[in-house]
Amino acid sequence: MFTFLLVVHAIIAAALVTVILMQKSEGGGLGMGGSPSGLMSARGAADFLTRMTSILATVFVCMSIALAFIAAHRQTQTIDTSLARPLPAAPAPAPAAQPLAPTQDAVPNAPADNGAVPLQR
């Protein structure tokens, strides 16, 4: 239904542009020529094109509002997962607690530990 209304909306927009371009403007344009009397006379064509422009513009605005309302309340049943990224792996568990005493590598220029207990002052 939405696609059908969207196509009708595009046709109305094209008709509106065509009717607007057919009107005779101050600077020329694509105005239609014709006999001096009848529907397609200068006055008759202007009245017809003016009425047609207002009708098409009204239908265009109403269709725009209706399409916006339908699009806002449209619910889809499927979710496109083609661009979904995989979830990252769970973080590794924390390593075991480190000893509090500094090691040979942690203290620069420290003498080698040969098992002797340091003297306290």
Side-chain angles (χ1 to χ4, degrees):
M1 179 70 175
F2 184 76
T3 306
F4 173 73
L5 290 177
L6 198 60
V7 170
V8 171
H9 189 66
I11 292 170
I12 291 171
L16 184 62
V17 168
T18 303
V19 169
I20 289 172
L21 288 177
M22 284 174 43
Q23 292 180 15
K24 189 168 186 168
S25 64
E26 298 277 328
L30 299 176
M32 298 174 64
S35 65
S37 64
L39 175 65
M40 295 316 258
S41 68
R43 182 72 177 158
D47 289 340
F48 173 74
L49 291 176
T50 303
R51 272 192 226 124
M52 200 62 177
T53 302
S54 62
I55 292 169
L56 285 174
T58 304
V59 173
F60 181 81
V61 169
C62 292
M63 285 284 290
S64 297
I65 293 170
L67 283 171
F69 182 77
I70 292 171
H73 290 88
R74 196 168 107 174
Q75 295 180 4
T76 58
Q77 299 296 328
T78 59
I79 297 175
D80 183 16
T81 59
S82 62
L83 297 176
R85 296 182 189 158
L87 294 175
Q98 298 292 330
L100 297 176
T103 60
Q104 175 76 18
D105 298 332
V107 180
N109 301 325
D113 186 18
N114 56 6
V117 178
L119 298 173
Q120 294 185 3
R121 299 184 194 192

